[in-house]
Amino acid sequence: MDLNEQAQLIEKIRGTFEAHLGEKVHVEQDLGRSRISTHNGTIYQVHPRLFILEVQRKRVPKARMSFQFADILTGIVKVSQNGESLFENYQDLLAVKKEVYDESEYANNDIDDEQIVS
């Protein structure tokens, strides 16, 4: 997938957030090493590359957290509303197709190891 297609997906994600501005959502963030952080809050603001979620905390009346749209593309952040995901799985669209390595293409190489070292 080229950069233009990725930019279009990010714009699509941004448009979805703008349509849900002010609504309550559930956000799951993968922190690595089997740690997942979950947050319930309201979409407070939408910017060109990120959105801000306003959450209720015990110690502080309101806290704000920001998440990048690119993290939604990579699957690090998942956003749902009423138990349904707001976004389809974008990881399949971003998957890089691995080319099969053909060893025979490089087998008949006329370069000696000594030439490479010099």
Side-chain angles (χ1 to χ4, degrees):
M1 174 175 288
D2 66 356
L3 292 176
N4 288 334
E5 291 173 339
Q6 290 178 14
Q8 289 174 355
L9 283 175
I10 288 179
E11 284 301 317
K12 183 178 176 183
I13 291 171
R14 180 175 182 229
T16 303
F17 274 107
E18 286 177 343
H20 292 282
L21 191 63
E23 296 179 7
K24 293 188 178 201
V25 293
H26 175 79
V27 176
E28 289 185 9
Q29 181 180 20
D30 185 358
L31 300 174
R33 295 189 179 196
S34 301
R35 295 180 299 160
I36 296 177
S37 176
T38 60
H39 310 283
N40 290 314
T42 305
I43 299 173
Y44 181 70
Q45 288 179 337
V46 179
H47 296 278
R49 299 291 175 239
L50 59 92
F51 70 98
I52 298 176
L53 185 73
E54 189 172 70
V55 295
Q56 292 292 109
R57 298 284 183 181
K58 292 179 182 177
R59 296 181 184 173
V60 186
K62 291 182 183 177
R64 294 184 184 141
M65 305 178 74
S66 64
F67 300 94
Q68 296 181 8
F69 299 144
D71 291 338
I72 293 172
L73 283 175
T74 57
I76 294 172
V77 173
K78 296 177 182 169
V79 182
S80 60
Q81 187 177 40
N82 300 326
E84 294 182 20
S85 179
L86 286 181
F87 305 100
E88 60 209 43
N89 189 2
Y90 290 117
Q91 282 183 311
D92 295 337
L93 299 173
L94 292 176
V96 177
K97 295 180 181 178
K98 296 181 180 178
E99 295 180 15
V100 178
Y101 176 71
D102 186 9
E103 211 173 283
S104 64
E105 184 178 334
Y106 303 102
N108 296 329
N109 200 345
D110 293 338
I111 300 173
D112 294 329
D113 291 337
E114 295 172 3
Q115 291 175 346
I116 295 173
V117 173
S118 59

